[in-house]
Amino acid sequence: MRKIGLVAVGTYVPEQKLTNQDLERMVDTTDEWITTRTGIKERRIAPDQMHASDLAAKAAAECLAQAPTHYQPQLLIAATSTAEKNVPNQASLVAQKLNLSNLAAFDLNAACSGLVYALAVGWSLMRTEGYDHTLITAGEKLSRFVDYQDRATCVLFGDAGAALLLSADAPEHEILAVELGADPSGADLVVMGGPGDEYYFRQDGRNVFKFAVEKMGSLIDRLKSRLDLTDDDRYFVIPHQANSRILEAVARNKRLPEGRIITNISKYGNTSAASIGLALKEAWAEQRFAKGDYLFLIGFGGGLSWAAAAIRW
Ligand code: UT7
């Protein structure tokens, strides 16, 4: 089978910050509650005229700028659950904004698991259908679906874009394995964008919390056993950023040394499919990973859905 590597990550966040202090003036909440229950201090909000596809395109432009110019994507998968239009799909809008042509382009909605789901699909098509370069984007404008009068949800989300470039020419940072799944019995636990009352984001926070902790733990075990990792192998988890308490619980359950779960939720909140890209980009820039380390990208969320990918650094 062909080897496929991760070449670059790009991200974009809008300039405007919405801080916990701002939210204290909008709903009955406190910085203390938000910080201790979620780990979030601030998030970014896109202006009215900036759409989810713009966030994805800006991240994609940054991503492509880091790669050789002949790495032209032949496949573009746009992970999003907040696309501004149903048609054209976000992938076509991103390709148009970047002047890309001669490519296959489609959207993939797996809520907060979307980026890793899209990575898995892209990886698989590259291995079986011969695509050499694939762009995966996540453009999420959650602020469009947030009820800023509901304190239980409005403190959680931010807007952002992220993009990954995969190449068959670059076996460095090789993608080794993926795991995808869904539990439709939990489909009603996270709802957004529907008719009537189901337009604004709503969730059963406590049950989703439990699901996330258990599923992240079992995905870590599964990837370790599929890759035959021993205690001498060092792995990092780059998870969907929904709540720092979820990540702390996983670190405790798995007895992970300090710093092995990458988190930057305090600055951006939950940015759905984009969040793993934001965390990965920052940790990569800080040179947190050494050659031979393993990275486990793990997404979970609405559906209920989950997706994990293992990369050897
Ligand atoms: O990305 C999609 C996947 N989603 C997730 O992974 C989310 C998983 N769940 C969570 O992260 C947490 O459940 C939340 C952060 C959403 C909520 O935290 P919680 O500890 O589960 O709080 P809760 O919903 O059980 O609420 C506890 C209390 C309630 O008051 P009472 O009923 O105990 O008097 C809420 O009304 O906190 C109250 N509350 C707030 N108080 C101040 C809820 N939101 C707020 C707020 N400020 N913003």
Side-chain angles (χ1 to χ4, degrees):
M1 274 287 193
R2 305 169 92 200
K3 293 184 175 186
I4 309 296
L6 171 68
V7 177
V9 181
T11 58
Y12 178 77
V13 290
E15 272 172 34
Q16 193 200 327
K17 291 179 183 173
L18 179 67
T19 65
N20 290 354
Q21 287 70 28
D22 295 332
L23 286 161
E24 283 177 348
R25 291 189 284 273
M26 294 162 63
V27 288
D28 180 16
T29 191
T30 59
D31 171 47
E32 205 259 332
W33 191 97
I34 303 170
T35 306
T36 54
R37 294 292 181 119
T38 72
I40 303 167
K41 291 300 247 181
E42 59 189 38
R43 42 321 270 133
R44 302 299 181 96
I45 304 295
D48 285 348
Q49 68 281 8
M50 188 182 282
H51 303 300
S53 66
D54 296 308
L55 300 167
K58 285 175 186 288
E62 190 194 73
C63 181
L64 291 174
Q66 298 168 54
T69 46
H70 70 277
Y71 279 24
Q72 283 298 308
Q74 298 132 350
L75 178 62
L76 194 173
I77 309 178
T80 186
S81 51
T82 57
E84 67 267 30
K85 293 177 183 152
N86 289 333
V87 179
N89 57 18
Q90 186 175 90
S92 297
L93 291 173
V94 172
Q96 185 187 52
K97 289 177 210 286
L98 297 176
N99 284 319
L100 299 176
S101 54
N102 299 319
L103 79 171
F106 63 94
D107 286 10
L108 188 156
N109 178 353
C112 304
S113 317
L115 189 80
V116 185
Y117 246 97
L119 178 146
V121 174
W123 177 67
S124 175
L125 285 172
M126 291 174 82
R127 300 217 302 170
T128 58
E129 304 305 319
Y131 295 102
D132 293 321
H133 309 295
T134 294
L135 185 62
I136 309 292
T137 63
E140 296 280 32
K141 189 176 180 182
L142 274 308
S143 60
R144 236 183 97 209
F145 296 97
V146 169
D147 175 359
Y148 285 99
Q149 297 185 344
D150 174 23
R151 68 176 183 173
T153 55
C154 73
V155 302
L156 302 173
F157 297 101
D159 300 333
L164 311 177
L165 183 65
L166 312 183
S167 173
D169 289 357
E172 206 190 356
H173 308 154
E174 188 192 350
I175 299 163
L176 302 173
V178 299
E179 285 282 332
L180 301 178
D183 174 7
S185 73
D188 298 333
L189 298 185
V190 183
V191 178
M192 183 180 83
D197 287 352
E198 299 198 313
Y199 179 79
Y200 287 126
F201 179 95
R202 303 276 183 233
Q203 70 178 344
D204 176 341
R206 284 184 193 187
N207 279 314
V208 179
F209 191 106
K210 272 188 232 151
F211 152 76
V213 173
E214 280 165 25
K215 189 49 71 181
M216 278 187 66
S218 61
L219 286 167
I220 290 171
D221 293 344
R222 177 89 184 123
L223 289 176
K224 279 174 73 179
S225 95
R226 279 187 62 185
L227 302 177
D228 280 331
L229 299 199
T230 67
D231 288 344
D232 294 336
D233 293 308
R234 196 164 80 133
Y235 68 90
F236 288 85
V237 179
I238 297 101
H240 169 49
Q241 312 280 313
N243 187 323
S244 57
R245 283 189 298 131
I246 293 176
L247 309 184
E248 285 155 17
V250 173
R252 248 190 337 268
N253 293 347
K254 296 290 143 201
R255 299 198 171 80
L256 284 174
E258 182 79 24
R260 293 292 185 80
I261 298 200
I262 305 297
T263 174
N264 61 0
I265 190 173
S266 63
K267 290 187 278 187
Y268 307 114
N270 180 343
T271 57
S272 190
S275 82
I276 289 176
L278 293 180
L280 175 61
K281 167 85 188 296
E282 194 170 295
W284 191 343
E286 289 169 0
Q287 302 185 322
R288 300 271 291 272
F289 318 129
K291 202 171 165 56
D293 286 343
Y294 293 86
L295 269 54
F296 295 169
L297 276 48
I298 303 185
F300 54 86
L304 297 170
S305 62
W306 59 88
I311 298 173
R312 185 169 36 227
W313 212 246

